[in-house]
Amino acid sequence: GQQLNQSPQSMFIQEGEDVSMNCTSSSIFNTWLWYKQDPGEGPVLLIALYKAGELTSNGRLTAQFGITRKDSFLNISASIPSDVGIYFCAGPWNAGNNRKLIWGLGTSLAVNP
Amino acid sequence: DTGVSQDPRHKITKRGQNVTFRCDPISEHNRLYWYRQTLGQGPEFLTYFQNEAQLEKSRLLSDRFSAERPKGSFSTLEIQRTEQGDSAMYLCASSFTADEQFFGPGTRLTVL
C-alpha cells in the first residue's frame, strides 16, 4: 500500500551532535506529522506541519514542510541519550473525514553518551 | 491528564482463541482509529470511528476482526479464532482536529 519514504533508515551518533532526517512521498500531502516511538510504546506526536514552507520548532526539534508538499525534514539539535528511539513521519491520506495516517518505515536513532 | 489508554498492555493467547482489546480515547475526541504495527514497520490503518459510527474498515480487517464504539466513548477490538499472523502491536489513536492523532501505549498480542 501507500507508504512514505524515510531516510536514513538508522543513525548512530555521539551525544551532543545534531541530527537530520527526511521523509518523501510521490503524492502531495497537506499535513505532515512527526512521531517518536520508544520500544513497546505507542507513537508520541512531536510536531505537526500544516503549511508548505512552514518551519516549526518544539524545544530542540525543528521540522519543515517542503515547498513541493512532497517532503518534510526533522532536525534534532544537541542530541541527548533520551532522544534514542524510532522517528516516524506520517501524513493523512484521505480527503474526507477519515484522516487515516500513512507512515514511513521510521528512522532508528541511537545516541552514544 | 488522561491521554489515550489501552488495556491490556500485553496478551498472550493460543491459536484459535478469541481476544478483546479496549481503548479509552481522550474524552472530548470524537474520532477514534485502530492501527496494527509489526516489527520494522509503521502502523497500518485498520478501522475508523466518528462518534459511534464505524465509517471505514481496511481490507486488512478480515471477518475475524470486529470493532465497536458504543455511545461514542471507549472502543473494543475483538479478534476471533486468532492465528499466528495476528501477532502484532495493536494501537488506538484519537483526535479532535482532523489530522493530529494521539496514540495510546498499545496492546502487544502474541499468538502461540
Side-chain angles (χ1 to χ4, degrees):
Chain A
Q2 181 71 15
Q3 188 173 284
L4 302 176
N5 302 307
Q6 281 191 251
S7 64
Q9 187 175 16
S10 62
M11 303 181 75
F12 187 85
I13 62 171
Q14 295 294 122
E15 183 177 359
E17 289 183 357
D18 297 343
V19 172
S20 290
M21 58 190 79
N22 67 32
C23 187
T24 62
S25 170
S26 57
S27 303
I28 288 173
F29 281 82
N30 293 317
T31 301
W32 287 93
L33 305 172
W34 284 93
Y35 287 86
K36 177 177 182 277
Q37 187 173 28
D38 293 331
E41 299 292 332
V44 174
L45 181 63
L46 299 174
I47 291 180
L49 300 159
Y50 289 100
K51 189 176 176 182
E54 177 183 1
L55 191 70
T56 297
S57 293
N58 178 7
R60 294 178 296 105
L61 276 62
T62 302
Q64 183 161 24
F65 192 140
I67 291 291
T68 65
R69 294 197 284 157
K70 291 184 177 182
D71 57 8
S72 179
F73 305 86
L74 177 69
N75 296 315
I76 305 173
S77 63
S79 59
I80 59 178
S82 62
D83 290 334
V84 166
I86 302 178
Y87 291 80
F88 288 98
C89 62
W93 184 235
N94 279 356
N97 280 334
N98 176 8
R99 305 294 280 169
K100 61 185 176 186
L101 295 179
I102 305 299
W103 297 74
L105 292 181
T107 292
S108 178
L109 178 64
V111 178
N112 191 27
Chain B
D1 170 27
T2 52
V4 179
S5 61
Q6 292 187 245
D7 184 69
R9 292 293 311 276
H10 305 276
K11 179 69 177 179
I12 300 174
T13 190
K14 292 183 180 178
R15 191 173 46 155
Q17 298 295 304
N18 299 344
V19 294
T20 300
F21 309 143
R22 177 180 171 123
C23 170
D24 286 89
I26 295 170
S27 59
E28 64 269 24
H29 287 185
N30 60 344
R31 293 180 171 88
L32 187 146
Y33 299 81
W34 285 96
Y35 292 84
R36 180 170 65 189
Q37 186 179 27
T38 54
L39 200 62
Q41 303 292 317
E44 291 180 294
F45 169 77
L46 292 179
T47 191
Y48 162 65
F49 289 86
Q50 183 162 336
N51 300 311
E52 67 276 10
Q54 186 176 21
L55 297 184
E56 186 170 340
K57 292 192 293 185
S58 164
R59 280 171 289 180
L60 292 175
L61 220 60
S62 76
D63 291 344
R64 297 184 296 106
F65 288 71
S66 62
E68 294 182 339
R69 193 184 182 196
K71 302 178 184 178
S73 56
F74 71 91
S75 176
T76 58
L77 178 68
E78 181 183 16
I79 309 174
Q80 295 182 328
R81 304 181 303 282
T82 52
E83 302 173 355
Q84 287 184 325
D86 297 332
S87 295
M89 174 78 94
Y90 289 84
L91 294 163
C92 174
S94 71
S95 72
F96 182 70
T97 63
D99 294 342
E100 295 180 20
Q101 294 183 22
F102 296 89
F103 284 79
T107 295
R108 167 72 65 190
L109 173 66
T110 302
V111 181
L112 302 176

